[in-house]
Amino acid sequence: MKESISLMEIFGTFFKINAVTFGGGYTIVPVIRDEFMKKRGLIDEEEMLSLVALAQSGPGAMAISTSLLTGYRLRGWKGALTALLASVLPCLIIISILFYFYDAFSNNFWVKSALLGMGGVISAVLVLTVYDMGKAALKKHKIFSLILMIGAFVASFFFQVHTIIIILTLALLGFATFTLVDEGKVK
């Protein structure tokens, strides 16, 4: 594995990202993507989509899973542990501080206003993330990907099909399509 980034750089980058990004996994993903794909060129777009897909399908917080998988991709198990620690520490520190000062924060006008404003910004980031990920997913196999996206949306939104069933169904369809069928020919 190419060691073009140090463990200290991984720690510092993930600590900074997780300390200042609010809103969960889908708001952290574009920041991780920008940092390691666009700025540093260590991960390509297809790899990033794969990491995000894996992070979504696994248990736990998506932000932590994406950080762990990115760290693993960059430096193996040491990178994964470093990214995991750097991603969890800001949460633990901030929650510990909030625990001790909750009463003062919970009724403060400025804190309430800031959190309300962040909600709007987080919504905008989520829309941009979905757009970017959808655009990247549609580069290859446009019709197939579009059908799967629309089908997943309809199943979830209109028929309230459980997310795990949708994920498993799409995984099986993708596996069958790209493993068993090779450009229209059965292997």
Side-chain angles (χ1 to χ4, degrees), residues 122-134:
I122 290 168
S123 297
V125 169
L126 290 174
V127 167
L128 290 173
T129 302
V130 169
Y131 175 77
D132 285 345
M133 290 175 68

Side-chain angles (χ1 to χ4, degrees), residues 132-154:
D132 285 345
M133 290 175 68
K135 190 169 79 174
L138 289 172
K139 281 185 180 176
K140 235 178 172 181
H141 312 291
K142 289 179 184 177
I143 295 171
F144 181 74
S145 297
L146 190 60
I147 290 169
L148 292 184
M149 284 183 201
I150 292 169
F153 174 76
V154 168

Side-chain angles (χ1 to χ4, degrees), residues 96-108:
S96 296
I97 291 169
L98 289 176
F99 172 77
Y100 288 107
F101 298 104
Y102 178 76
D103 288 333
F105 286 142
S106 65
N107 296 317
N108 186 300

Side-chain angles (χ1 to χ4, degrees), residues 161-177:
V161 176
H162 198 279
T163 307
I164 192 70
I165 294 171
I166 295 171
I167 291 171
L168 290 174
T169 303
L170 295 179
L172 289 172
L173 281 170
F175 176 77
T177 302

